Amino acid sequence: MVERANKPKPPNLSSTPGLPPQATVTFSEDNSRVIAELPTGETVEVLLYGATVISWKDASGDEKLWLSEAAKLDGSRAVRGGIPIVFPVFGTAPDHPQTKDLPQHGFARTSRWEFLGKSTSESAGRATDEPTVKLDFGLSSAAPGLDPKATAHWPFKFNLIYSVTLKRESLTTSIVATNDGSAPFDCQVLLHTYLRVKDITTVNITGLQNATYIDKVDASTTKQETAPTLTITGETDRVYTTTADTSDAADDGAVTVTEANNTPRFRVTRDNLSNVVVWNPWADKAEGMADFAPKDGYKQMVCVEPGSVGAWQSVEGGDGFEGAQTITLLH
């Protein structure tokens, strides 16, 4: 479990004097977001509302995540784009007693999280070859920023730690959900990642062949992916259950996103997350979503979302569940 660090004070968290350049962490003027930058120029920006990663740029300033131009960043609704956190329910679950009254995708993405602190490659007292910065965020059943719907409809004692780790060529997001009460609770977790692409019609997704999936566009029919490559040619909403053992480095169940002429873009690996959701609203659905802009923005995005949503994770009192994804840039 991630240890809490001392909460920093805005506006700037500087590097230790005498060491080579290290990552810097700053706050926005209104303290609504945390921005980390590596000395090599890569950046990540996390909105405290939902602990939502809303930007990830490489050293040249090229954005890797898609964020709707109409996304609400003021806490009035969940953010459309970036990496929202889905917890403790994926979608809605009207037949599940514990979560049937919760809003879609739960309350983690609509609560204000606390920034717990940073750690960098200087934290051990020496610089490493690869600069790194990790940002920790927390949300608990006692937190003042918790969405009121959570306490009203999900009366469990819990603690969430969410960590965002930026390296030169990758971004890792991990979550630990701990049951601080005596009664067990069920939960689902998903990292709802919107990847930015140049042209959805040229995107190829590999790593899902032979996996079963629920096709939510086709009446939630269960199917099997027979093609070695998935292309997006219309509205797509699939929940894949992979057969790979994601704890085995030799068979990590990675999903790779390439574009035109097999140009590699992203490699998504998972830790303790057995599902991958692939989503693109396409034209008609995008048109009907008020916070989706521009309306043809579906051409520049694809959601590849690691999660544990195919079944419920039962977490006993004093126990916890954790999962993570790493998105690696490919060249």
Side-chain angles (χ1 to χ4, degrees):
M1 189 169 176
V2 179
E3 295 182 359
R4 291 175 180 258
N6 292 329
K7 186 177 179 182
K9 297 180 180 180
N12 182 59
L13 303 177
S14 59
S15 300
T16 303
L19 289 176
Q22 291 289 317
T24 60
V25 177
T26 57
F27 291 77
S28 61
E29 290 186 1
D30 61 358
N31 290 327
S32 68
R33 63 193 70 180
V34 183
I35 305 100
E37 181 175 1
L38 297 180
T40 45
E42 296 81 3
T43 62
V44 66
E45 187 169 344
V46 184
L47 191 69
L48 290 178
Y49 180 71
T52 309
V53 180
I54 57 174
S55 176
W56 170 32
K57 295 179 181 178
D58 64 16
S60 67
D62 185 32
E63 180 62 65
K64 304 305 177 183
L65 301 177
W66 186 86
L67 181 68
S68 170
E69 294 176 3
K72 301 297 183 182
L73 305 181
D74 59 359
S76 59
R77 64 175 299 169
V79 176
R80 174 71 63 189
I83 311 179
I85 303 169
V86 172
F87 178 90
V89 59
F90 172 59
T92 57
D95 297 327
H96 187 262
Q98 291 185 3
T99 60
K100 62 184 178 65
D101 295 321
L102 287 176
Q104 178 169 297
H105 293 337
F107 52 77
R109 65 178 189 156
T110 54
S111 297
R112 183 180 173 90
W113 292 58
E114 178 187 5
F115 178 53
L116 302 178
K118 70 154 185 175
S119 57
T120 71
S121 49
E122 72 179 352
S123 299
R126 59 180 178 83
T128 62
D129 292 337
E130 182 179 14
T132 302
V133 61
K134 181 165 75 73
L135 308 174
D136 293 331
F137 303 86
L139 181 70
S140 73
S141 48
L146 185 65
D147 186 331
K149 296 185 182 69
T151 52
H153 301 303
W154 206 69
F156 297 97
K157 293 182 179 180
F158 69 90
N159 186 55
L160 303 179
I161 301 292
Y162 183 61
S163 299
V164 177
T165 303
L166 175 66
K167 295 184 179 181
R168 292 191 64 183
E169 299 291 335
S170 68
L171 184 74
T172 298
T173 60
S174 62
I175 188 167
V176 179
T178 305
N179 186 342
D180 288 346
S182 56
F185 64 68
D186 294 340
C187 68
Q188 295 174 326
V189 174
L190 183 82
L191 302 170
H192 198 318
T193 308
Y194 289 71
L195 297 174
R196 177 175 286 277
V197 297
K198 298 182 185 301
D199 181 358
I200 189 62
T201 64
T202 70
V203 166
N204 293 318
I205 301 173
T206 58
L208 297 172
Q209 188 177 21
N210 299 323
T212 59
Y213 67 93
I214 297 173
D215 191 344
K216 300 177 81 173
V217 176
D218 186 16
S220 294
T221 305
T222 299
K223 304 178 181 179
Q224 185 174 32
E225 186 60 72
T226 58
T229 299
L230 172 65
T231 58
I232 310 296
T233 58
E235 181 184 352
T236 303
D237 193 354
R238 300 179 178 185
V239 182
Y240 285 89
T241 300
T242 61
T243 56
D245 179 4
T246 57
S247 65
D248 182 355
D251 187 14
D252 60 9
V255 175
T256 301
V257 178
T258 62
E259 290 202 65
N261 300 318
N262 291 320
T263 303
R265 292 295 308 279
F266 305 101
R267 177 180 170 88
V268 182
T269 55
R270 295 164 288 123
D271 184 5
N272 201 37
L273 299 174
S274 59
N275 301 110
V276 177
V277 176
V278 178
W279 182 76
N280 184 290
W282 214 251
D284 290 346
K285 191 159 189 175
E287 185 65 36
M289 298 162 65
D291 62 349
F292 196 100
K295 292 306 178 184
D296 64 352
Y298 69 90
K299 297 178 181 178
Q300 279 75 54
M301 54 76 60
V302 63
C303 285
V304 177
E305 314 164 30
S308 180
V309 298
W312 293 96
Q313 296 293 329
S314 181
V315 183
E316 300 291 331
D319 204 350
F321 172 83
E322 57 185 302
Q325 69 166 343
T326 296
I327 312 167
T328 303
L329 301 180
L330 302 177
H331 302 284

